[in-house]
Amino acid sequence: DADVTQTPRNRITKTGKRIMLECSQTKGHDRMYWYRQDPGLGLRLIYYSFDVKDINKGEISDGYSVSRQAQAKFSLSLESAIPNQTALYFCATSDLVGGKGETQYFGPGTRLLVL
Amino acid sequence: GESVGLHLPTLSVQEGDNSIINCAYSNSASDYFIWYKQESGKGPQFIIDIRSNMDKRQGQRVTVLLNKTVKHLSLQIAATQPGDSAVYFCAENRRSSGSARQLTFGSGTQLTVLP
């Protein structure tokens, strides 16, 4: 009954291949995000979307693309995978409520290995 | 430059003792702060948040303190338990442009609870 799900959970691919990571949420949030996490480093933002028609680049968008198919779905693509894209990828959602700020809720992660 | 960082990358505490995890931030425009816990193999999980108009907020066994004068944030965990072993991230949230908000994560502190 997870609110934010990611598929696949683990993926091994070869250099040059195109792959897609998928994220679905049942929280009803408008905002969705893709991050990558490397060992010993914090989370770095790849892309984010504030609603279905809104896509924004994050800190490290080169080599990635995204698609917001519906409010509940946000997919991340690696057009031509390279070894330094080996990382743990997280999807997150948030809903800005009453000017409070923004708490993001994370999926379980996808571990990607590019050979 | 703008950054969110942690004073210590690792922290070991005895079971039952209190833990204090520190975080420094440099952007005075940040107005909302969040602590996340990440257990091995899982996504970050929201613990507690605090707005900049507060200097202390308490949850269940956790307290967050905010010192805006020195741009310092801390997470206190009372009576630390083995299940508290994880990486803890602080994140700062600020308005970036228009209605958009930006969330920046620190690199994390590994908390280890010793028996």
Side-chain angles (χ1 to χ4, degrees):
Chain A
D1 59 345
D3 294 320
V4 185
T5 57
Q6 293 182 233
T7 55
R9 293 295 314 277
N10 294 279
R11 179 74 183 269
I12 301 174
T13 192
K14 294 182 179 179
T15 297
K17 294 290 187 181
R18 183 182 188 275
I19 66 164
M20 179 183 289
L21 310 183
E22 300 192 14
C23 177
S24 295
Q25 53 115 345
T26 59
K27 297 186 77 68
H29 288 169
D30 286 327
R31 302 181 172 203
M32 298 188 73
Y33 307 78
W34 275 104
Y35 290 90
R36 69 176 276 175
Q37 184 177 41
D38 297 278
L41 299 178
L43 293 157
R44 292 185 293 167
L45 183 63
I46 306 172
Y47 270 96
Y48 61 102
S49 169
F50 284 170
D51 64 43
V52 175
K53 296 180 181 179
D54 177 78
I55 300 291
N56 304 281
K57 292 183 178 180
E59 179 185 354
I60 52 165
S61 59
D62 288 348
Y64 302 94
S65 63
V66 291
S67 175
R68 184 80 184 267
Q69 301 95 324
Q71 187 204 36
K73 296 185 182 296
F74 192 37
S75 60
L76 174 73
S77 294
L78 283 67
E79 300 302 326
S80 179
I82 55 177
N84 76 2
Q85 290 178 312
T86 292
L88 190 54
Y89 290 84
F90 288 104
C91 173
T93 75
S94 73
D95 196 13
L96 190 60
V97 179
K100 171 183 178 181
E102 185 170 339
T103 299
Q104 295 184 6
Y105 299 89
F106 288 81
T110 295
R111 190 171 297 278
L112 175 66
L113 174 61
V114 182
L115 300 176
Chain B
E2 301 174 356
S3 66
V4 176
L6 292 161
H7 291 175
L8 295 172
T10 62
L11 176 66
S12 296
V13 297
Q14 212 66 38
E15 182 178 354
D17 287 352
N18 296 335
S19 302
I20 300 176
I21 301 171
N22 296 303
C23 180
Y25 67 95
S26 59
N27 194 314
S28 57
S30 294
D31 57 4
Y32 179 59
F33 303 87
I34 309 162
W35 280 101
Y36 288 91
K37 172 186 180 182
Q38 186 176 19
E39 296 174 276
S40 181
K42 298 183 179 179
Q45 178 185 8
F46 171 87
I47 302 174
I48 192 168
D49 58 0
I50 188 167
R51 299 172 70 175
S52 59
N53 62 352
M54 304 171 67
D55 53 20
K56 180 179 180 179
R57 188 162 189 225
Q58 289 184 294
Q60 186 177 13
R61 281 200 309 117
V62 294
T63 300
V64 56
L65 299 178
L66 176 62
N67 185 330
K68 293 181 288 295
T69 302
V70 295
K71 297 187 183 69
H72 184 268
L73 192 69
S74 69
L75 176 71
Q76 300 178 3
I77 305 173
T80 312
Q81 303 169 358
D84 294 327
S85 291
V87 176
Y88 290 81
F89 294 93
C90 65
E92 61 174 318
N93 191 241
R94 64 184 180 276
R95 196 173 302 281
S96 56
S97 63
S99 62
R101 296 188 69 88
Q102 181 175 337
L103 190 68
T104 304
F105 290 84
S107 56
T109 291
Q110 172 70 59
L111 174 66
T112 301
V113 181
L114 305 172

Coordinates of all heavy atoms in Angstrom, one line a residue, chain A residues 40, chain B residues 4-13 18-25 35 72-75 86-90 106-112:
Chain A
G40 N 27.8 8.4 -0.6 CA 28.5 9.5 0.2 C 28.0 10.9 -0.2 O 28.5 11.9 0.4
Chain B
V4 N 23.9 23.3 1.9 CA 23.4 22.7 3.1 C 24.4 21.6 3.5 O 24.6 20.7 2.7 CB 22.0 22.1 2.9 CG1 21.5 21.4 4.2 CG2 21.0 23.2 2.6
G5 N 25.0 21.6 4.6 CA 26.0 20.6 5.0 C 25.8 20.2 6.4 O 25.1 20.7 7.2
L6 N 26.5 19.1 6.7 CA 26.5 18.5 8.0 C 27.9 18.6 8.6 O 28.9 18.5 8.0 CB 26.1 17.0 7.9 CG 24.6 16.9 7.4 CD1 24.4 15.5 6.9 CD2 23.7 17.2 8.6
H7 N 27.9 18.8 10.0 CA 29.2 18.9 10.6 C 30.0 17.6 10.7 O 31.2 17.7 10.6 CB 29.0 19.5 12.0 CG 28.5 20.9 12.0 ND1 28.1 21.5 13.2 CD2 28.3 21.8 11.0 CE1 27.7 22.8 12.9 NE2 27.8 22.9 11.6
L8 N 29.3 16.5 10.9 CA 30.0 15.2 11.0 C 29.3 14.2 10.1 O 28.1 14.1 10.0 CB 29.8 14.7 12.4 CG 30.5 15.5 13.5 CD1 30.2 15.0 14.9 CD2 32.0 15.5 13.4
P9 N 30.1 13.5 9.3 CA 29.5 12.5 8.4 C 29.0 11.3 9.2 O 28.2 10.5 8.7 CB 30.6 12.2 7.5 CG 31.9 12.5 8.3 CD 31.6 13.6 9.2
T10 N 29.6 10.9 10.3 CA 29.2 9.7 11.1 C 29.0 10.1 12.5 O 29.7 11.0 13.1 CB 30.2 8.6 11.0 OG1 31.4 9.0 11.5 CG2 30.4 8.2 9.5
L11 N 28.1 9.3 13.2 CA 27.9 9.5 14.6 C 27.5 8.2 15.2 O 26.6 7.5 14.7 CB 26.7 10.5 14.8 CG 26.3 10.7 16.3 CD1 27.4 11.4 17.1 CD2 25.0 11.6 16.3
S12 N 28.2 7.8 16.3 CA 27.9 6.6 17.0 C 27.5 6.9 18.4 O 28.1 7.7 19.1 CB 29.1 5.7 17.0 OG 29.5 5.3 15.7
V13 N 26.4 6.3 18.8 CA 25.8 6.5 20.1 C 25.4 5.2 20.8 O 25.1 4.3 20.1 CB 24.6 7.5 20.1 CG1 25.0 8.9 19.6 CG2 23.5 6.9 19.4
N18 N 21.0 10.0 24.2 CA 20.4 10.9 23.2 C 21.4 11.2 22.1 O 22.6 11.2 22.3 CB 20.1 12.2 24.0 CG 19.0 12.0 25.0 OD1 18.2 11.1 25.0 ND2 19.0 12.9 26.0
S19 N 20.8 11.4 20.9 CA 21.7 11.7 19.7 C 21.4 13.2 19.3 O 20.3 13.6 19.4 CB 21.3 10.8 18.6 OG 21.5 9.4 18.9
I20 N 22.4 13.8 18.8 CA 22.3 15.1 18.3 C 23.0 15.2 16.9 O 24.2 14.9 16.8 CB 22.9 16.2 19.2 CG1 22.2 16.2 20.5 CG2 22.7 17.6 18.5 CD1 22.8 17.2 21.5
I21 N 22.2 15.5 15.9 CA 22.8 15.5 14.5 C 22.7 17.0 14.1 O 21.6 17.6 14.2 CB 22.0 14.6 13.6 CG1 22.1 13.2 14.1 CG2 22.6 14.7 12.1 CD1 21.2 12.2 13.3
N22 N 23.8 17.5 13.6 CA 23.8 18.9 13.2 C 23.8 19.2 11.7 O 24.2 18.3 11.0 CB 25.1 19.6 13.8 CG 25.1 19.5 15.3 OD1 24.2 20.0 16.0 ND2 26.1 18.9 15.9
C23 N 23.4 20.4 11.4 CA 23.3 20.8 10.0 C 23.5 22.3 9.9 O 22.9 23.0 10.7 CB 21.9 20.4 9.4 SG 21.7 20.8 7.7
A24 N 24.4 22.7 8.9 CA 24.6 24.1 8.7 C 24.0 24.5 7.3 O 24.1 23.7 6.4 CB 26.0 24.5 8.7
Y25 N 23.4 25.6 7.3 CA 22.9 26.1 6.0 C 23.4 27.5 5.7 O 23.8 28.2 6.7 CB 21.4 26.0 5.9 CG 20.6 27.0 6.8 CD1 20.2 28.2 6.4 CD2 20.4 26.6 8.1 CE1 19.5 29.1 7.2 CE2 19.7 27.5 9.0 CZ 19.3 28.7 8.5 OH 18.6 29.5 9.3
W35 N 13.9 17.4 8.2 CA 14.8 16.2 8.5 C 14.2 15.0 7.9 O 13.0 14.7 8.1 CB 15.0 16.1 10.0 CG 16.0 17.0 10.5 CD1 15.8 18.2 11.2 CD2 17.5 16.9 10.5 NE1 16.9 18.8 11.6 CE2 18.0 18.0 11.1 CE3 18.3 16.0 9.9 CZ2 19.4 18.3 11.3 CZ3 19.7 16.2 10.0 CH2 20.2 17.3 10.7
H72 N 22.0 27.4 11.7 CA 22.3 26.1 12.2 C 21.0 25.4 12.6 O 20.1 25.9 13.2 CB 23.2 26.2 13.4 CG 23.6 24.8 13.9 ND1 23.0 24.2 15.0 CD2 24.7 24.0 13.6 CE1 23.6 23.0 15.2 NE2 24.6 22.9 14.4
L73 N 21.0 24.1 12.2 CA 19.8 23.2 12.5 C 20.3 22.0 13.2 O 21.3 21.5 12.8 CB 19.2 22.9 11.1 CG 17.8 22.3 11.0 CD1 16.7 23.2 11.4 CD2 17.6 21.8 9.5
S74 N 19.5 21.5 14.1 CA 19.9 20.2 14.7 C 18.7 19.3 15.0 O 17.6 19.8 15.1 CB 20.6 20.5 16.1 OG 19.7 21.0 17.0
L75 N 19.0 18.1 15.0 CA 18.0 17.0 15.2 C 18.4 16.3 16.5 O 19.5 15.7 16.5 CB 17.8 16.1 14.0 CG 16.9 14.9 14.2 CD1 15.4 15.4 14.2 CD2 17.0 13.9 13.2
A86 N 20.5 4.9 10.8 CA 20.2 5.3 9.5 C 21.0 6.4 9.1 O 21.8 6.9 9.9 CB 18.7 5.6 9.4
V87 N 20.9 6.9 7.9 CA 21.4 8.2 7.4 C 20.4 9.2 7.6 O 19.2 9.1 7.2 CB 21.9 8.1 6.0 CG1 22.4 9.5 5.5 CG2 23.0 7.1 5.8
Y88 N 20.8 10.4 8.2 CA 19.8 11.5 8.4 C 20.3 12.7 7.5 O 21.4 13.1 7.5 CB 19.8 11.9 9.9 CG 19.2 10.8 10.7 CD1 19.9 9.7 11.1 CD2 17.8 10.9 11.1 CE1 19.3 8.7 11.9 CE2 17.2 9.9 11.9 CZ 17.9 8.8 12.2 OH 17.3 7.8 13.0
F89 N 19.3 13.2 6.8 CA 19.5 14.3 5.9 C 18.7 15.5 6.4 O 17.6 15.4 6.8 CB 19.0 14.0 4.5 CG 19.7 13.0 3.8 CD1 19.3 11.7 3.8 CD2 20.8 13.3 3.0 CE1 19.9 10.7 3.1 CE2 21.5 12.3 2.3 CZ 21.0 11.0 2.3
C90 N 19.4 16.7 6.4 CA 18.6 17.9 6.5 C 18.3 18.5 5.1 O 19.1 18.2 4.2 CB 19.3 18.9 7.4 SG 20.8 19.6 6.7
G106 N 21.3 18.2 2.2 CA 22.7 18.0 2.7 C 23.2 16.6 2.3 O 22.4 15.8 1.8
S107 N 24.4 16.3 2.6 CA 25.0 15.0 2.2 C 24.7 13.9 3.2 O 24.9 12.7 2.9 CB 26.5 15.1 2.0 OG 27.1 15.6 3.2
G108 N 24.2 14.2 4.4 CA 23.8 13.1 5.3 C 24.7 12.8 6.4 O 26.0 13.0 6.2
T109 N 24.2 12.3 7.5 CA 25.0 11.8 8.6 C 24.6 10.4 8.9 O 23.4 10.1 9.0 CB 24.8 12.7 9.9 OG1 25.4 13.9 9.7 CG2 25.5 12.0 11.1
Q110 N 25.6 9.5 9.0 CA 25.3 8.1 9.3 C 25.2 7.9 10.8 O 26.3 8.1 11.5 CB 26.3 7.2 8.7 CG 26.2 5.7 9.2 CD 25.0 5.0 8.6 OE1 24.8 5.0 7.4 NE2 24.1 4.5 9.4
L111 N 24.1 7.6 11.4 CA 23.9 7.4 12.8 C 24.0 5.9 13.0 O 23.2 5.1 12.4 CB 22.6 7.9 13.3 CG 22.3 7.6 14.8 CD1 23.3 8.3 15.7 CD2 20.9 8.1 15.1
T112 N 24.9 5.5 13.9 CA 25.0 4.1 14.3 C 24.7 3.9 15.8 O 25.3 4.6 16.6 CB 26.4 3.5 14.0 OG1 26.7 3.6 12.6 CG2 26.5 2.0 14.4

